[in-house]
Amino acid sequence: MPADLSELQNELNPEQFKAVTQIDGAFLIIAGAGSGKTRVITFRIAHMLNSGVPQSAILALTFTNKAAREMEERIKQLTGKKLPLLTISTFHAFGVRILRQDIARLGYRENFSIYDETDRNALIKETGRELRYSPEAMDIYKIGILISDIKTGRKQWNSENEMYRQLYEGYQEGLKLYNAVDFDDLITLPIKLFRENPDILQSYKNRYKYIMVDEFQDTSHQQYEFMRLLAENNVAVVGDDDQSIYSWRGADYLNIVNFEKDFKDVKEIRLEQNYRSTGTILAAANGVIKHNTNRKDKELWSGNGEGKPIEIYMPENETAEASFIIETIQSICVTEKRKYDDFCVLMRANTQSRAIEEAFLAENIPYTMSGGTSFFQRKEIKDIISYLRVISNHDDDVNLLRIINTPRRGIGRVTIEKLNQIAKNLSCSLWEAINALLEVGDDEADLFMQDSANSQLTVCNDDDLEDFSEGVKQSLKSFVDIIEGNKPMLGGHGLAKKVRKMVEDIRYFDYLISENPKSEKAARFKFLNIESLINSIENWENNPESGEPTLYNYLNRITLLTRER
């Protein structure tokens, strides 16, 4: 980082210099594509630190874990400091931090689980079954979107969606019962917490005196409200309404307009010099963008010369398209002496890859495929993670159901249905229902459970206990013993070693062999994935920048890592 303003001025163009050095007040920084936005943000924070602003007073919010990591690393390089108190975070990760501290004020326990999309869908299915929705009405994808839209205020109940109101309410009750939150909750619950507890909000406002938001055009109404509640008037938002592409996910570029209304004396700075593209590319982009409505006028320009003309190819079919891509790559490799790893082929959908992959194979061109199934969504990984989630939160029914018979221990669908009925009768989680069942003697007629919320006794008749053979009870006890026996994971060091021992104790490799009887190679490949997971846990807990290496923190980390935005 340059030592004084004159040196800093030499590093930045005039508009970048304004954006970096003016730190008091509200700023709207319109950053066109390729205009050095990340450079401005990192230099701005570094300048704040050099100007005497405490690192603990700065909060920078962005949308992806990758962007947050890169921003933090660049600021550390600029300042030459470790900056342990500087907060650079995604919206969702910051929401987790707030909830981890004060979620008890909302009636949850501190060791809450974060449900990813797979867990959420499982809870939707479970709720739909309990409410006897017909299979035709259970379009999980459609219902998931509706739940998200209702929760975040993007939609209201009406005659078209009213049939799902009871399912929505049951889903919300299920989350609370299982002490879990979904991704929308990571934004909506902190807002609720702030509104209902002014003292908590004030404590955050007292700490974070300077707030920055990256990719502001992609903020949703809820994220904007989250930021607005926290910010006083030293706030800078950086974005470009012409780059807003996430409206289908709730992003609203009109938050730029709202920002100018909600904050006093907003100063606007426009970054229009593009460092990435040639004049021809920018002329084409400007020609398209100028037709957008309700936008901030800007004219990107470049000092990189005019460059080559733009070429458009209209193939007859996907085979011709693949041939054109291969021929173009091979031609450039020869004429410009490029390597294959200098190229990237972008597709709108994975379904388009088949023809291109076949063409690469036919020409013996090496390639790697990005996308597809996430590592953390592979069945074997989900199984082990589910064990860890249940160990950390016994009331997490979705993950408990995933592993209660994995590996197989003789707990079938009938048993699970009976347990679900007991849990429903007692208004408790499945874990509590299992333990209540195991505590009942053969000669006891009724199963009682104290309701801690209202001090009433709930009765479960012995009819509900029929068909629980001694063998089933023994299998349930074995499952409970595994979970209870791994409680040491919750504290102390050596998490990776403890996970490896648990995998051995449940004989998961034997289970993989039984599931893949015709291919031991496939079973070994899946088990190697588990080894990779354990190695990643070990690397994480040995990294001094990971913070406290607890099981709770690890589970929250991987949940956020598997959802970029």
Side-chain angles (χ1 to χ4, degrees):
M1 181 76 183
D4 55 44
L5 290 181
S6 61
E7 291 183 21
L8 184 61
Q9 203 160 11
N10 293 331
E11 293 274 348
L12 306 165
N13 68 40
E15 294 305 305
Q16 289 176 334
F17 182 77
K18 287 181 189 177
V20 166
T21 56
Q22 298 181 28
I23 60 176
D24 292 318
F27 291 88
L28 173 60
I29 302 172
I30 303 296
S35 60
K37 169 178 65 69
T38 304
R39 182 178 176 82
V40 164
I41 294 172
T42 53
F43 267 70
R44 192 173 198 270
I45 294 174
H47 177 67
M48 285 183 190
L49 295 169
N50 287 347
S51 300
V53 176
Q55 55 182 284
S56 61
I58 300 172
L59 169 63
L61 295 171
T62 186
F63 281 86
T64 69
N65 298 295
K66 181 181 178 183
R69 287 193 302 270
E70 289 180 352
M71 202 179 296
E72 184 175 357
E73 286 304 314
R74 289 178 67 168
I75 294 168
K76 287 179 180 177
Q77 290 172 4
L78 283 172
T79 61
K81 300 176 182 178
K82 292 184 178 180
L83 305 175
L85 301 180
L86 179 65
T87 305
I88 300 176
S89 172
T90 65
F91 274 92
H92 289 95
F94 189 61
V96 171
R97 180 182 300 196
I98 292 170
L99 294 177
R100 188 63 64 198
Q101 187 72 29
D102 292 299
I103 198 170
R105 293 275 196 105
L106 297 176
Y108 292 78
R109 297 184 297 284
E110 290 180 1
N111 64 328
F112 62 89
S113 297
I114 304 172
Y115 277 10
D116 61 15
E117 187 173 357
T118 302
D119 298 329
R120 184 191 68 169
N121 289 345
L123 180 55
I124 291 172
K125 288 179 183 177
E126 177 191 331
T127 306
R129 283 194 298 267
E130 290 177 354
L131 295 173
R132 300 186 183 280
Y133 277 74
S134 67
E136 294 76 19
M138 288 300 292
D139 184 331
I140 302 302
Y141 177 76
K142 174 183 173 183
I143 294 171
I145 291 175
L146 176 63
I147 287 174
S148 180
D149 286 344
I150 293 292
K151 185 176 291 195
T152 58
R154 293 195 294 267
K155 283 186 179 179
Q156 304 297 321
W157 293 112
N158 56 42
S159 58
E160 293 183 3
N161 58 36
E162 181 67 27
M163 65 178 290
Y164 292 108
R165 185 193 287 262
Q166 191 178 8
L167 193 152
Y168 173 83
E169 293 170 352
Y171 170 80
Q172 290 292 87
E173 290 169 0
L175 285 175
K176 196 73 174 286
L177 176 64
Y178 305 152
N179 197 39
V181 299
D182 62 23
F183 266 88
D184 290 320
D185 289 328
L186 299 182
I187 305 298
T188 60
L189 287 182
I191 292 173
K192 187 174 190 290
L193 185 70
F194 287 161
R195 287 175 175 166
E196 295 180 359
N197 301 273
D199 59 316
I200 294 176
L201 173 60
Q202 192 58 50
S203 70
Y204 282 94
K205 291 167 78 77
N206 290 342
R207 173 176 178 178
Y208 295 113
K209 296 296 186 182
Y210 291 86
I211 295 178
M212 292 191 67
V213 180
D214 187 19
E215 303 288 6
F216 188 63
Q217 76 280 350
D218 289 336
T219 53
S220 66
H221 289 297
Q222 295 288 328
Q223 288 163 335
Y224 176 77
E225 181 64 11
F226 191 11
M227 180 275 294
R228 191 190 66 78
L229 286 169
L230 284 167
E232 291 289 351
N233 205 46
N234 293 332
V235 55
V237 298
V238 184
D240 179 9
D241 47 2
D242 289 327
Q243 297 184 61
S244 181
I245 60 173
Y246 291 105
S247 60
W248 55 275
R249 204 158 54 189
D252 189 350
Y253 69 92
L254 290 176
N255 283 338
I256 292 175
V257 177
N258 295 331
F259 180 78
E260 293 177 303
K261 292 178 181 178
D262 292 338
F263 290 88
K264 298 177 182 177
D265 304 320
V266 174
K267 300 179 182 68
E268 183 178 305
I269 300 173
R270 300 187 185 191
L271 308 180
E272 297 177 307
Q273 181 177 355
N274 179 286
Y275 292 90
R276 183 185 302 153
S277 305
T278 61
T280 300
I281 296 293
L282 290 183
N286 287 330
V288 174
I289 290 171
K290 70 180 181 181
H291 297 290
N292 292 350
T293 57
N294 299 318
R295 64 182 288 266
K296 292 279 186 180
D297 289 330
K298 67 187 77 67
E299 192 72 24
L300 297 179
W301 61 276
S302 171
N304 296 334
E306 291 305 304
K308 296 179 180 180
I310 296 172
E311 297 180 30
I312 299 176
Y313 176 72
M314 302 290 287
E316 294 181 5
N317 51 48
E318 59 184 12
T319 302
E321 179 182 49
S323 296
F324 171 77
I325 291 170
I326 301 304
E327 290 168 6
T328 303
I329 290 173
Q330 290 175 326
S331 174
I332 295 174
C333 283
V334 172
T335 58
E336 299 183 16
K337 297 182 179 179
R338 295 282 186 178
K339 299 177 181 178
Y340 285 133
D341 60 8
D342 290 333
F343 296 87
C344 175
V345 179
L346 301 178
M347 294 166 284
R348 290 186 62 87
N350 287 334
T351 55
Q352 294 177 286
S353 72
R354 184 187 57 79
I356 297 172
E357 287 190 81
E358 288 178 354
F360 279 144
L361 292 170
E363 294 295 325
N364 292 318
I365 296 177
Y367 70 92
T368 57
M369 187 73 181
S370 297
T373 304
S374 161
F375 176 77
F376 289 101
Q377 293 300 317
R378 296 182 182 186
K379 182 185 182 304
E380 61 273 18
I381 301 301
K382 286 283 287 182
D383 286 346
I384 302 307
I385 295 297
S386 289
Y387 270 97
L388 302 185
R389 292 195 187 282
V390 174
I391 290 166
S392 68
N393 175 13
H394 296 349
D395 296 327
D396 185 343
D397 279 19
V398 168
N399 282 290
L400 185 146
L401 285 170
R402 181 181 186 90
I403 59 171
I404 193 170
N405 200 42
T406 303
R408 303 192 187 286
R409 48 178 65 94
I411 302 173
R413 181 175 298 181
V414 172
T415 299
I416 292 171
E417 288 176 354
K418 287 284 184 182
L419 289 171
N420 271 322
Q421 187 60 49
I422 293 174
K424 183 178 180 180
N425 289 347
L426 298 177
S427 297
C428 67
S429 68
L430 282 171
W431 176 263
E432 291 172 319
I434 292 169
N435 280 279
L437 170 65
L438 294 177
E439 291 171 4
V440 174
D442 293 335
D443 57 345
E444 293 181 79
D446 297 305
L447 174 64
F448 295 94
M449 184 171 180
Q450 185 72 34
D451 186 330
S452 59
N454 56 23
S455 298
Q456 293 179 348
L457 285 174
T458 306
V459 179
C460 178
N461 295 323
D462 58 350
D463 289 342
D464 293 325
L465 305 180
E466 66 184 16
D467 294 335
F468 284 103
S469 66
E470 286 305 313
V472 168
K473 287 184 179 180
Q474 189 57 45
S475 294
L476 291 170
K477 185 178 185 305
S478 173
F479 174 71
V480 169
D481 289 344
I482 289 169
I483 302 303
E484 293 286 0
N486 279 284
K487 273 188 175 180
M489 281 190 195
L490 299 178
H493 298 283
L495 178 59
K497 291 181 180 178
K498 294 170 185 174
V499 174
R500 180 174 280 109
K501 185 177 185 308
M502 182 201 73
V503 172
E504 293 172 357
D505 289 345
I506 64 175
R507 302 179 67 181
Y508 195 82
F509 181 68
D510 292 344
Y511 167 71
L512 290 176
I513 292 290
S514 68
E515 290 292 293
N516 299 272
K518 296 183 180 179
S519 177
E520 184 176 330
K521 184 178 180 181
R524 292 190 179 280
F525 177 79
K526 292 176 184 292
F527 197 73
L528 283 175
N529 286 334
I530 294 174
E531 280 294 324
S532 295
L533 172 70
I534 295 171
N535 290 336
S536 73
I537 295 174
E538 187 172 22
N539 291 336
W540 171 78
E541 63 181 339
N542 289 334
N543 185 343
E545 295 188 3
S546 296
E548 190 177 0
T550 66
L551 178 58
Y552 296 134
N553 289 340
Y554 177 75
L555 293 174
N556 286 339
R557 171 182 175 269
I558 63 172
T559 301
L560 293 169
L561 280 176
T562 54
R563 179 181 169 107
E564 274 291 275
R565 286 184 183 259

